[in-house]
Amino acid sequence: MSDEVITRNYLEKLSFSELSRLADNYGIDVPENLDRRFLIAELLELNEENEEISEDMIISSNDGDSNEVFVFPKNYNETQIDCVLRNPVWLFIFWNISDSDSSLLKKTNDYNLMLRICSFEDEEASIPDEAFEINAVEKAQEQYFLLPAGKKFIKVELLYSVDGKINVLAFTPVIKIPQGSKLVNDLQSGFDSEFQPLVQLSDINSVITKQYTYHRHSFI
């Protein structure tokens, strides 16, 4: 699969399980009920972004005719984790583990690196209303996560588990999740929404229906 050029035609030929394995290479956590078309679109976009990033990470020297290049380091020797919203649904999580912490982990008999996703109703709350853990992608420092619907504030913790005991390595600030239009969120295929006569002149029914059909995974 790695020898193939990633195109839409190629991805359309793959089964959902093969698409999921390919998504693992990008650090995407794929729910079992994720729409196949949406997953293909995400893979195509991420593949394009990764190609652009690979080019941007190398900076050529402008001193004379020198061919010397500078490559950004992958490890800044600090244990930290952060996250940014790719859109209101996909969360991009990235982390780094210092040399000392990495050595400590390698000395353990068997450890498991995990991410804990904590959600809050209020930004100032100290205790999450819901929290669950997922395994971090093996040998990676970043991972995409599909946020459950309706979350308002999110914090991510970087954990490791040894002999059933969970320890926190680092955690992100609390970030606010943009909330979509209630009209779009509650819209269901086959049900008509009532709009004021003046709003109907804009053909809002057609706009909302197309939004639901083509973009509900990205913006709800």
Side-chain angles (χ1 to χ4, degrees):
M1 185 180 295
S2 60
D3 296 332
E4 296 283 351
V5 177
I6 296 181
T7 63
R8 180 174 293 277
N9 288 336
Y10 169 64
L11 295 177
E12 291 285 359
K13 297 176 184 178
L14 302 181
S15 65
F16 186 81
S17 60
E18 290 173 326
L19 289 171
S20 297
R21 286 195 293 271
L22 183 57
D24 285 340
N25 295 334
Y26 289 94
I28 301 177
D29 182 60
V30 181
E32 293 182 359
N33 61 346
L34 183 64
D35 188 281
R36 173 188 172 86
R37 293 173 300 175
F38 177 61
L39 180 54
I40 289 175
E42 287 294 319
L43 286 170
L44 288 172
E45 190 169 347
L46 289 172
N47 181 62
E48 182 178 347
E49 288 179 359
N50 283 356
E51 290 177 351
E52 293 174 355
I53 291 173
S54 296
E55 295 175 357
D56 292 342
M57 290 295 285
I58 299 178
I59 301 179
S60 299
S61 172
N62 293 322
D63 298 332
D65 297 327
S66 173
N67 292 322
E68 181 181 358
V69 298
F70 173 77
V71 180
F72 284 109
K74 291 185 177 180
N75 192 326
Y76 291 92
N77 204 26
E78 292 183 9
T79 298
Q80 56 187 4
I81 184 171
D82 213 332
C83 58
V84 293
L85 287 170
R86 186 169 184 270
N87 54 43
V89 168
W90 281 106
L91 185 68
F92 179 63
I93 309 167
F94 53 100
W95 62 90
N96 187 70
I97 300 177
S98 67
D99 292 341
S100 58
D101 284 339
S102 181
S103 298
L104 179 65
L105 291 175
K106 290 177 181 178
K107 290 179 181 178
T108 63
N109 295 327
D110 187 22
Y111 75 93
N112 186 30
L113 200 62
M114 300 182 296
L115 302 172
R116 177 185 288 152
I117 314 297
C118 305
S119 64
F120 304 84
E121 281 293 322
D122 184 84
E123 188 174 11
E124 302 300 326
S126 58
I127 300 177
D129 60 283
E130 184 180 2
F132 52 90
E133 294 149 11
I134 59 174
N135 288 330
V137 176
E138 187 177 357
K139 297 180 180 179
Q141 291 179 282
E142 66 276 332
Q143 185 162 337
Y144 281 94
F145 177 74
L146 183 62
L147 291 168
K151 301 304 179 186
K152 296 181 179 179
F153 298 94
I154 291 290
K155 181 178 77 171
V156 183
E157 297 176 346
L158 180 63
L159 317 170
Y160 71 95
S161 172
V162 178
D163 298 329
K165 183 180 179 181
I166 296 178
N167 303 276
V168 179
L169 282 170
F171 55 87
T172 71
V174 175
I175 64 170
K176 183 178 181 179
I177 309 299
Q179 301 300 304
S181 166
K182 188 176 186 301
L183 181 62
V184 177
N185 291 352
D186 296 341
L187 183 66
Q188 303 216 3
S189 180
F191 291 86
D192 292 330
S193 299
E194 295 184 2
F195 299 98
Q196 296 294 328
L198 185 61
V199 177
Q200 292 182 20
L201 293 176
S202 67
D203 197 23
I204 186 64
N205 281 303
S206 175
V207 172
I208 294 296
T209 300
K210 288 181 179 178
Q211 172 74 10
Y212 176 83
T213 302
Y214 298 109
H215 303 294
R216 62 188 182 276
H217 287 297
S218 296
F219 298 101
I220 288 180

